[in-house]
Amino acid sequence: MAPFTFAIVLVIIPGLVHSQTVAPTRFPDVVSALAANGHFTVFLDLLNSSGLLPRINASAHFTIFAPTDDAFARLSADDFDKIKNNQTRLAEIVGFHVVLTTNYRIHGTQQDDVLRSSNHYPIRINTYNILHTVAADGVNITIKNIPILHGLAHGLDGVLTPPTQSIMQLSLSRPDISTFSQWVVNANLLNFFTNDKDVTVFIPNNAAFAKLSSDITTFLNSHHANMAETLKFHVVNAMTLFSIGMTHSISLTSGDNHHDGLMILQDSAGALNVNHAKIVEKDIITTDGVVHIIDSVLVPPRVLVALQDQGIVVG
């Protein structure tokens, strides 16, 4: 982004024509731009305390995702204190909201554009057209394209948290979804779950697997192709779908071999389901996508038929 704009204006006076150079228009610096907007007083305070401002000012191209004061107000006092009063955590959180390699403009057609924060975490930008929303890691971008000298800023209605694990690392580290990771290993799908870097996974918790009958579990454990199809049915490849982009009757294509359909359902209270499974924990950001925890195992149609052929009742 060019910091100065020059214009030559012709001033016509009877009998005389001459040119007049208009003073260059200078974009404001980071502090001036955010302060003038009036919605970023808390973020500015944290930015000044983080020690990151000199790096931003020295950058030729940068983008800032600035949570608004209202966004910080929605944090609990304890969570905010953990950011403000811990210098390491402060630098990590503020650094995650800053990109030092590009002045990134929101234009409303982004689909899994991945930026790298100043501390090297991915930030995914997505447009959810049906909801007229553009989001950064599932957080609504409410103020777009604030011009700054050498950069741009965007206002967020939430505070971003950097991802620290991949999807498989998450599933291996959380005891409540350990059955899922065991099935992935048994079905020889580790590569499948690590190759895609922009993916949505609906992971059944252990209680969901426990609801399966012993006949179903025994069949799938002895028919790994069907087990693999069942696990892939919980995946949407090449797309990070955060809950902000979910609304009733959205259809999705699963990652199983037949690309069977999934559907998002929403009840009158706003609770979200994928097919018949309730989403009990949403928007767990990972380095390679997003995870939603569900309370039931989804079984694709052809696996249901295979079970029925064995006389196994499902449901």
Side-chain angles (χ1 to χ4, degrees):
M1 178 178 293
F4 298 98
T5 301
F6 294 92
I8 303 299
V9 178
L10 290 179
V11 180
I12 301 176
I13 301 174
L16 176 65
V17 176
H18 67 84
S19 64
Q20 177 180 331
T21 302
V22 178
T25 300
R26 182 181 179 89
F27 290 121
D29 62 18
V30 175
V31 173
S32 298
L34 295 182
N37 186 277
H39 294 286
F40 304 110
T41 57
V42 177
F43 180 76
L44 272 174
D45 179 55
L46 297 178
L47 180 61
N48 281 312
S49 300
S50 71
L52 188 61
L53 193 55
R55 289 182 63 196
I56 297 173
N57 289 333
S59 175
H61 306 282
F62 63 84
T63 305
I64 297 174
F65 295 96
T68 63
D69 292 342
D70 288 342
F72 281 108
R74 287 193 293 272
L75 292 179
S76 69
D78 183 55
D79 285 342
F80 182 70
D81 286 343
K82 286 178 180 177
I83 297 172
K84 185 173 183 178
N85 299 325
N86 182 315
Q87 190 62 35
T88 300
R89 182 64 173 165
L90 173 63
E92 181 181 57
I93 293 296
V94 173
F96 185 48
H97 290 77
V98 175
V99 176
L100 294 176
T101 54
T102 182
N103 49 343
Y104 184 84
R105 180 171 294 276
I106 302 298
H107 48 73
T109 59
Q110 284 88 352
Q111 180 61 52
D112 278 315
D113 282 0
V114 180
L115 309 177
R116 285 284 164 181
S117 70
S118 66
N119 44 8
H120 311 297
Y121 294 109
I123 305 172
R124 287 179 172 81
I125 312 298
N126 283 292
T127 300
Y128 302 112
N129 286 320
I130 194 170
L131 295 167
H132 308 292
T133 297
V134 183
D137 277 355
V139 175
N140 194 16
I141 300 174
T142 55
I143 305 172
K144 304 176 180 69
N145 304 322
I146 302 169
I148 303 175
L149 182 65
H150 299 308
L152 287 167
H154 311 289
L156 304 180
D157 72 353
V159 179
L160 302 178
T161 302
T164 58
Q165 295 178 304
S166 68
I167 289 168
M168 282 312 303
Q169 287 170 333
L170 174 75
S171 68
L172 290 166
S173 68
R174 282 186 49 157
D176 62 322
I177 55 175
S178 60
T179 303
F180 174 82
S181 57
Q182 291 170 9
W183 278 40
V184 169
V185 172
N186 291 345
N188 195 29
L189 287 181
L190 279 174
N191 286 339
F192 176 83
F193 279 97
T194 55
N195 287 341
D196 193 344
K197 300 307 178 186
D198 297 294
V199 62
T200 303
V201 183
F202 299 96
I203 295 184
N205 56 24
N206 290 355
F209 284 100
K211 289 194 297 187
L212 296 175
S213 71
S214 59
D215 287 341
I216 294 174
T217 301
T218 299
F219 175 83
L220 293 177
N221 273 301
S222 59
H223 296 78
H224 284 176
N226 286 304
M227 176 183 278
E229 277 291 273
T230 300
L231 291 170
K232 291 178 180 180
F233 190 47
H234 293 77
V235 174
V236 181
N237 292 118
M239 177 184 186
T240 51
L241 178 62
F242 292 85
S243 63
I244 194 173
M246 296 181 185
T247 191
H248 188 68
S249 296
I250 285 181
S251 297
L252 306 170
T253 301
S254 77
D256 71 21
N257 290 342
H258 296 89
H259 305 298
D260 292 307
L262 299 169
M263 180 169 284
I264 299 296
L265 303 172
Q266 189 172 26
D267 65 20
S268 58
L272 293 165
N273 279 33
V274 53
N275 291 6
H276 68 280
K278 183 178 180 180
I279 299 174
V280 294
E281 186 178 349
K282 60 189 179 183
D283 298 334
I284 305 171
I285 302 170
T286 65
T287 56
D288 48 358
V290 61
V291 167
H292 309 282
I293 307 297
I294 57 178
D295 71 349
S296 298
V297 177
L298 305 174
V299 182
R302 288 167 182 79
V303 176
L304 285 173
V305 171
L307 288 165
Q308 291 165 0
D309 287 346
Q310 298 298 313
I312 299 172
V313 176
V314 179

